[in-house]
Amino acid sequence: MSLKSVICEPQGQHKATVIWLHGLGDSGDGFAPIVPQLEIPNEIGVKFIFPHAPIRAVTINNGMEMRAWYDIVSFDLDKRADETGVRESSAQVAEIIEQEMAQGIEANKIILAGFSQGGVIALHLAPRLKHKLAGVMALSTYMCAPQKFNDEAIQKDLTVLMAHGSQDEVVPMFAGKQALDVMQSAGLEVTWHDYPMGHQVCGEEVMVIRNWLIEQLQ
C-alpha cells in the first residue's frame, strides 16, 4: 500500500525533491510548516514530500494505535527499533523515491530526511539503495541494526547531516553518536551538530538545514 503524503510543490520548475519523514505519533503535517522557514531559492526547484507513516499499535504506549514507522517494544536502545517494521517502511519510502525518479528527478537531486523514528528509516534506507541520493538528513535519531550496516550498505560515500539535542531524553545523544561512529567507520561523510535542547528542532538548526539543502541540491 503506497503512503499518502503532504506535498509542497516548488514555485518554479521541479528540479529536486526532499522526502521528510516525521517522528512517532506525528504525521506528514508536522514538518510541512518548516518549508517557508527554510526559504530555499525558487531556482533550485525543490518539491517537499512529507509522507504519513502507517497507523499501527505501539507496544511501549500500551498498544495504542498511532502513526509509526515501526513498533517500539522496549526503551532499550538495542531493542528499540523493530527491524521488520523498519524494513517494511523503508520499502514504502523507496517507492516514493522511485516515483520521483520516474518523473525525471535524478537520484542525485533527491534528499531523504527524517526526525526521530523518521530518521531511523532515512539512515536505514539511503545507504542500502542502489541509487546514490544527494544526501541524508537525520535529526534527533539513531540507527536500527548498526551491526548489519557494514555488510548491507551499498552507498558508502553518501553525504549525511546529523543534528541532535544534548538534553534529549527521548533519544539520548549517545544514540545519535553511535550511528555517527558506525557511518564514519564505514567511510561515509557525516557532518554532526548538537544543540542545548531536548527532542526538538531549534531555529539555529533550521538555518544549518537550509544551507546544507541548498549546498546539496543546487
Side-chain angles (χ1 to χ4, degrees), residues 65-116:
E65 294 202 340
M66 61 186 65
R67 292 199 181 279
W69 296 108
Y70 50 87
D71 188 18
I72 298 178
V73 183
S74 164
F75 286 112
D76 294 346
L77 194 63
D78 59 340
K79 304 186 193 76
R80 188 177 290 195
D82 160 44
E83 192 178 332
T84 302
V86 169
R87 291 181 187 277
E88 286 170 0
S89 286
S90 294
Q92 290 180 298
V93 175
E95 283 179 25
I96 299 175
I97 294 171
E98 293 292 346
Q99 287 162 9
E100 290 302 292
M101 292 181 68
Q103 291 176 29
I105 303 301
E106 300 284 342
N108 66 2
K109 292 292 181 182
I110 298 173
I111 279 177
L112 185 56
F115 175 81
S116 198

Side-chain angles (χ1 to χ4, degrees), residues 1-46:
M1 190 178 73
S2 58
L3 299 169
K4 291 186 166 55
S5 304
V6 176
I7 296 174
C8 300
E9 296 286 357
Q11 294 298 311
Q13 183 188 353
H14 177 201
K15 300 176 186 173
T17 300
V18 175
I19 302 165
W20 196 316
L21 310 175
H22 63 76
L24 176 67
D26 199 359
S27 73
D29 296 292
F31 272 104
I34 207 168
V35 175
Q37 294 176 42
L38 291 170
E39 297 180 334
I40 304 292
N42 290 343
E43 60 268 22
I44 299 179
V46 181

Side-chain angles (χ1 to χ4, degrees), residues 114-136:
F115 175 81
S116 198
Q117 262 209 349
V120 172
I121 302 300
L123 287 182
H124 184 86
L125 174 60
R128 291 167 170 81
L129 279 175
K130 58 181 183 286
H131 317 288
K132 184 188 172 189
L133 301 182
V136 182

